[in-house]
Amino acid sequence: MNIFGVYQKLFKVYGPQGWWPILVLEQGIKYSIPYRSLSKYRASFRDPYFEIAVGAILTQSTAWKNVAIAINNLYNAKVLTPNKISRIKTARLQTLIRPAGYYKQKAKKLKIFSDWLVKNYNGDITRLKRCKASEIREKLLTLWGIGPETADSIILYALNKPLFVIDEYTRRLCKKYSVEFKEYDGYREFFEKKLPKNNKIFQEYHALIVASGKDKHTKI
DNA sequence: TACCAGGTCCTCG
DNA sequence: CGAGGACATGGT
């Protein structure tokens, strides 16, 4: 199985996905904001880098459409920053993210993650970039509610560091080509070893796998 | 109307 | 360990 060939094929069929989708203020919900332009959307009431991490937590076993509603609620309430989430009452946070499902658990997860950012990184998620990806990963995995897929999504999409994200769609795709591992890291290292170590490709590839995974008529 | 979605944690053997 | 269950809403 030529893994880069599969990527090119996916790209040809589904086109650039432009992940991670970000809520853009002026025009309501919009997707495909280039990573380099995220910084100009930073404000006291919302942080797009943090928003990506929030989305990664909220989308755990949940359709993105529901997550988008929850993120929109957080945006309208002007609480899309670590400091605001850390201060907000749990009951109110639960109400805002309710459309994303598992809302009690996820409110707790967002609280724990935000408290941790406030305590250790002055409420600025981009300060994590100073560490190596592997170190960030270890730290994130110690937090309750953040498992390997969520940690890797945060590192790849919110911090723009090259770690390959594995999800159920990725495992299914691999299985089609008779590639199987027992552990999450088996899959991750398989992709990381065989692909050029390039953030953009990792970001696009995972998004394309999800796009084809959702497509019932996928031929890849 | 069932089934399922861009997982993670907990419990029990 | 590893299997099985809990967590929850909205779309198709």
Side-chain angles (χ1 to χ4, degrees):
Chain A
M1 158 194 200
N2 174 0
I3 207 160
F4 193 65
V6 172
Y7 168 72
Q8 291 173 313
K9 204 166 161 188
L10 284 167
F11 192 89
K12 204 168 175 182
V13 173
Y14 296 100
Q17 302 296 305
W19 273 26
W20 190 276
I22 282 292
L23 181 66
V24 174
L25 22 163
E26 301 89 6
Q27 307 153 42
I29 294 176
K30 198 184 169 185
Y31 304 97
S32 307
I33 303 302
Y35 186 85
R36 63 178 181 284
S37 61
L38 290 181
S39 61
K40 64 180 179 201
Y41 293 102
R42 283 191 121 180
S44 64
F45 58 91
R46 70 93 57 107
D47 174 0
Y49 301 102
F50 177 66
E51 178 180 327
I52 293 171
V54 168
I57 290 171
L58 291 182
T59 199
Q60 290 172 357
S61 195
T62 298
W64 182 258
K65 274 191 177 172
N66 293 359
V67 177
I69 299 169
I71 289 183
N72 194 43
N73 289 346
L74 295 171
Y75 170 72
N76 286 330
K78 301 194 184 303
V79 294
L80 216 32
T81 73
N83 284 310
K84 307 268 188 192
I85 296 293
S86 189
R87 284 179 184 50
I88 195 174
K89 280 192 179 168
T90 299
R92 175 153 163 68
L93 181 57
Q94 287 179 351
T95 305
L96 291 170
I97 67 169
R98 189 174 175 140
Y102 307 129
Y103 62 92
K104 290 181 186 172
Q105 289 202 347
K106 284 175 178 173
K108 184 177 168 190
K109 293 175 184 182
L110 291 179
K111 277 283 187 186
I112 289 171
F113 179 57
S114 301
D115 290 346
W116 179 76
L117 288 173
V118 169
K119 186 175 176 209
N120 299 291
Y121 301 95
N122 195 32
D124 179 1
I125 189 174
T126 63
R127 286 203 186 182
L128 277 167
K129 287 185 170 198
R130 295 172 186 174
C131 304
K132 283 166 51 181
S134 56
E135 291 169 7
I136 302 167
R137 190 171 201 268
E138 273 183 47
K139 292 177 201 284
L140 288 174
L141 288 177
T142 66
L143 299 177
W144 185 88
I146 298 188
E149 184 180 341
T150 308
D152 291 350
S153 295
I154 291 172
I155 294 165
L156 178 63
Y157 292 106
L159 305 177
N160 199 28
K161 286 174 181 277
L163 270 182
F164 202 88
V165 179
I166 305 301
D167 66 350
E168 197 48 41
Y169 292 133
T170 312
R171 295 188 183 89
R172 271 182 234 165
L173 175 70
C174 286
K175 193 165 185 178
K176 283 191 194 174
Y177 293 89
S178 306
V179 175
E180 289 187 80
F181 300 94
K182 224 169 84 186
E183 307 287 334
Y184 178 98
D185 285 337
Y187 287 94
R188 185 169 60 81
E189 283 159 18
F190 173 73
F191 279 88
E192 289 178 1
K193 231 179 284 175
K194 301 217 166 190
L195 291 171
K197 194 166 182 169
N198 177 306
N199 311 11
K200 291 269 83 167
I201 292 177
F202 283 16
Q203 289 169 347
E204 199 58 55
Y205 203 157
H206 173 65
L208 285 165
I209 289 173
V210 174
S212 75
K214 287 179 180 169
D215 178 5
K216 284 178 187 158
H217 312 294
T218 184
K219 292 174 191 133
I220 299 164

